[in-house]
Amino acid sequence: MASSRSGMLKVLLVVAAALASAPGVLSDPPPLQDFCVADLKAATAVDGFPCKPASTVVDDDFFSAAMVSGPSTDNPFGVNSTRATVSAFPGLNTLGLSITRTDLAPGGINPPHSHPRGSELVLVLKGEVMVGFTTATNQLFSKVVKQNELYVVPRGLQHYQLNVGKGDAVFMAMFDAQSPGLVVPTLGLFATKPAMPMEVLTKTFLMGEDEVSAMKSKFVGF
Ligand SMILES: *[C@@H]1O[C@H](CO)[C@@H](O)[C@H](O)[C@H]1NC(C)=O
């Protein structure tokens, strides 16, 4: 009995040591070649994208002008993002990084959301942006970030960006993932297809059906 227990302890220690010394498993896998420009049209599905034949790779595969100008922020939230993730910028494939430009109208909100596969480094280019993120224990960290200042949001944690300045605001969000993903709880609750069962929503929010329907009506078309 005692020896099997110490055997078990040894196994646990080995597993713990392996986990502690392998933080790399939490990010995109490192590339095994100089480049692997995404073949976005490949029939084969892999975790990521297969590589275009090297002979067909051109200069523009490593170039993107997606961040040059801002998208329209003429919507109820006063926000819009342009994403240079792997599907818009094939040269990023296997490199474990991507970038998004977000424009905020005065008072605009990038509503609470999370990126399951990437930490986010926020660089404010223009204006004043309140960045906040929440932890698994519901602690809120927040800061007003100004031009050329940075804020970092750890992987997977829910966060928001609110324009608290007088004019427009612009920030770049850099990710340690080629495709960080985007989860928006408001949409994941009130705008799913098919709709989430009413009973789930009334019980979750301790609300009546009329109140839930009123919430849902705000997110039609998003
Ligand atoms: C975001 O900007 C693009 C480009 O200006 C525009 O086509 C799109 O409708 C905008 N989306 C929203 C939700 O405003």
Side-chain angles (χ1 to χ4, degrees), residues 70-75 79-80 222:
S72 162
T73 55
D74 185 14
N75 58 64
V79 66
N80 204 337
F222 285 98

Side-chain angles (χ1 to χ4, degrees), residues 104-183:
L104 290 159
I109 177 83
N110 194 21
H113 62 279
S114 62
H115 306 288
R117 293 181 294 278
S119 295
E120 171 173 338
L121 184 58
V122 175
L123 168 63
V124 174
L125 295 187
K126 184 179 174 189
E128 296 180 20
V129 179
M130 180 197 281
V131 185
F133 72 84
T134 53
T135 70
T137 54
N138 299 326
Q139 192 170 1
L140 173 68
F141 291 97
S142 173
K143 177 98 182 158
V144 173
V145 187
K146 298 183 185 139
Q147 190 172 18
N148 295 335
E149 295 178 341
L150 297 165
Y151 206 65
V152 66
V153 178
R155 176 184 302 255
L157 297 185
Q158 180 167 264
H159 57 284
Y160 55 82
Q161 284 100 357
L162 173 68
N163 182 358
V164 293
K166 290 199 170 69
D168 293 336
V170 179
F171 67 87
M172 296 290 179
M174 296 158 276
F175 299 95
D176 60 342
Q178 64 179 24
S179 184
L182 174 64
V183 176

